[in-house]
Amino acid sequence: MSGIYIHIPFCKQACFYCDFHFSTSLKKKEDMIAALVKEIELRKGELGNTIIETIYFGGGTPSVLSTEEIETLIDAVYKNFVVVENPEITLEANPDDLSEEKIMELSKSPINRLSIGIQSFFEKDLKLMNRAHNSDEAKKCLMLATRYFANISVDLIYGVPDCTNQEWQENIQTALSFGVPHISSYALTVEPKTPLASFIKKGIIKNVDDEKAQEQFHILIDALEKANFVHYETSNFGKEGFFSQNNSSYWLGKSYLGIGPSAHSFDGTQRSWNVRNNSKYINAIAENRLPIERETLSITDTYNEYVMTGLRTIWGVSFNKIKNEFGEKYIKYLEKQSKKHIEQELVYIENGILKTTKKGKFLSDGIASDLFMINEV
């Protein structure tokens, strides 16, 4: 089973923290849709006979597209790939795009899952992040969306400067009050060359506080566990039956095809990525050229990726899998490197699986990097 990710590189305005690829000009939207359809056609043989089980519209802001444009892209996938009977088809959306009319249209389309970028229910946080919606729009869109969709994920951001622990608790409880079955939550990160990085450097916005972010991460875990959510990946919490199939595929090492500028693909042995420029992408596709760079992963690269993704999930890192797929030297290396983290109660071994403890979850990426094999031994 595989997935298809479609990158929609347009936004109404730039969020101060975002370093994803997008344009705030919609002038090339029509040309982009045509190019995306054509790329789907050009790459129809890349996954072999693998069946598609998920289609995911990310960005950017996919909800700036009309329902008709979204259906055009879904039709292109169905025409060129074999798709399971009931695929998970997710649309990332912003509250300001989700009028009742738009939500009703989407509910009648093949889209069956919404991932809504709320980030915060507090006006001051939304202004600090330069979000296009306000708090009332966030609440109204969730009230409407939950009438028409059963499968909804809400995005929240913690560690926002001047967001107190009490306010963060309120954010979580407000999201839960709408009965959504999935929450994705990320620490506010200062990426280079973003407006947020510039404002912090100039002293306009306070810097993020890692200690506070860690506190709020643990507040989040406690609140969602009480609400019967499963913390199945570092940043993702879902009720049983509502884990993101698309994201779970990434973490479990399944193949996926990335369509659109800056989109990444993985076929099990090779990674590839499209050019991060809308005009170059459109022009190349018009000439039947794929604007792609590729790299073949070494056995060490594959081991490192498995450790990184495995430690982020409830499925952990299997010693048996490492022995069978990578060999004895990788087992010995993992055992040696993980010893100090076990002693510090950041990771533990259960039935031959290495997993993070509650204390270690926030630090999982740092722990993983310490378990990476830098040079083959």
Side-chain angles (χ1 to χ4, degrees):
M1 296 286 192
S2 297
I4 290 183
Y5 170 84
I6 302 174
H7 188 81
I8 307 301
F10 301 112
C11 288
K12 286 181 181 175
Q13 67 186 50
C15 298
F16 289 155
Y17 56 85
C18 183
D19 72 340
F20 291 156
H21 171 66
F22 66 92
S23 168
T24 52
S25 169
L26 299 181
K27 286 179 185 175
K28 294 182 179 174
K29 184 157 73 90
E30 197 173 314
D31 291 341
M32 181 60 70
I33 300 294
L36 293 170
V37 168
K38 192 166 184 182
E39 188 190 356
I40 291 168
E41 293 167 357
L42 290 172
R43 301 184 71 184
K44 63 184 177 184
E46 278 195 33
L47 295 174
N49 297 319
T50 307
I51 296 169
I52 302 302
E53 60 182 346
T54 63
I55 303 170
Y56 191 99
F57 289 88
T61 311
S63 54
V64 300
L65 300 188
S66 68
T67 306
E68 187 180 359
E69 288 167 333
I70 292 164
E71 288 182 325
T72 296
L73 293 167
I74 294 171
D75 287 345
V77 171
Y78 272 85
K79 283 174 186 171
N80 292 281
F81 293 88
V82 178
V83 182
V84 293
E85 191 174 336
N86 294 303
E88 176 190 86
I89 307 182
T90 302
L91 180 80
E92 287 185 355
N94 279 349
D96 43 297
D97 293 323
L98 294 179
S99 64
E100 185 164 16
E101 183 184 4
K102 180 74 172 272
I103 292 168
M104 285 176 66
E105 281 179 9
L106 290 170
S107 71
K108 292 170 187 172
S109 80
I111 297 289
N112 51 32
R113 183 174 184 269
L114 295 179
S115 176
I116 304 175
I118 300 291
Q119 315 312 357
S120 176
F121 292 98
F122 286 94
E123 217 63 64
K124 64 183 177 67
D125 297 343
L126 296 171
K127 285 176 181 173
L128 182 145
M129 292 185 264
N130 200 40
R131 297 291 291 165
H133 67 275
N134 60 39
S135 179
D136 287 342
E137 284 175 314
K139 291 170 185 172
K140 185 180 178 184
C141 99
L142 283 177
M143 180 188 70
L144 294 169
T146 50
R147 287 182 193 168
Y148 296 93
F149 284 85
N151 198 350
I152 293 175
S153 179
V154 163
D155 276 8
L156 295 175
I157 290 180
Y158 58 88
V160 177
D162 292 328
C163 175
T164 66
N165 288 350
Q166 185 181 339
E167 288 170 334
W168 176 235
Q169 279 273 21
E170 285 182 46
N171 266 331
I172 299 164
Q173 294 308 321
T174 302
L176 290 174
S177 72
F178 290 97
V180 295
H182 191 279
I183 289 177
S184 295
S185 192
Y186 308 90
L188 182 66
T189 306
V190 185
E191 300 291 352
K193 298 180 182 177
T194 57
L196 179 62
S198 174
F199 294 149
I200 288 172
K201 191 176 179 181
K202 292 173 183 174
I204 297 168
I205 292 175
K206 283 183 188 175
N207 202 351
V208 298
D209 180 339
D210 288 341
E211 202 171 297
K212 185 174 86 169
Q214 190 166 359
E215 271 181 43
Q216 294 187 350
F217 178 67
H218 287 292
I219 288 169
L220 175 73
I221 293 173
D222 291 343
L224 294 187
E225 282 180 353
K226 279 180 191 169
N228 297 316
F229 280 70
V230 178
H231 189 192
Y232 69 101
E233 192 273 341
T234 302
S235 303
N236 287 272
F237 303 77
K239 294 279 183 79
E240 288 289 354
F242 288 95
F243 296 2
S244 167
Q245 292 175 39
N246 174 80
N247 293 353
S248 296
S249 294
Y250 294 161
W251 303 316
L252 293 171
K254 294 185 183 181
S255 57
Y256 56 90
L257 196 63
I259 302 294
S262 82
H264 284 235
S265 304
F266 176 62
D267 67 3
T269 56
Q270 241 188 19
R271 285 212 176 281
S272 59
W273 53 95
N274 284 341
V275 66
R276 194 180 163 109
N277 180 291
N278 288 1
S279 296
K280 287 180 180 177
Y281 170 80
I282 290 167
N283 293 339
I285 297 293
E287 295 169 2
N288 293 316
R289 287 188 297 107
L290 292 174
I292 281 179
E293 287 185 52
R294 301 181 192 273
E295 69 169 351
T296 300
L297 300 181
S298 68
I299 188 168
T300 298
D301 292 334
T302 309
Y303 160 83
N304 289 344
E305 289 209 1
Y306 173 57
V307 168
M308 180 181 69
T309 54
L311 270 191
R312 289 183 64 91
T313 72
I314 56 170
W315 303 291
V317 177
S318 165
F319 282 91
N320 209 32
K321 179 181 168 85
I322 288 176
K323 184 180 179 181
N324 293 337
E325 296 186 14
F326 304 104
E328 198 67 41
K329 70 179 180 182
Y330 288 88
I331 284 278
K332 288 178 179 174
Y333 185 78
L334 180 62
E335 286 173 342
K336 184 184 81 172
Q337 292 297 106
S338 59
K339 196 171 287 184
K340 70 176 180 184
H341 298 294
I342 292 171
E343 289 168 0
Q344 292 168 1
E345 298 183 343
L346 298 174
V347 297
Y348 67 103
I349 299 170
E350 180 181 67
N351 300 323
I353 309 284
L354 185 70
K355 299 179 180 180
T356 53
T357 62
K358 186 174 180 180
K359 180 180 165 186
K361 285 184 191 298
F362 186 76
L363 307 168
S364 62
D365 288 347
I367 297 166
S369 67
D370 196 39
L371 305 180
F372 288 169
M373 190 177 284
I374 307 304
N375 300 303
E376 291 194 26
V377 293

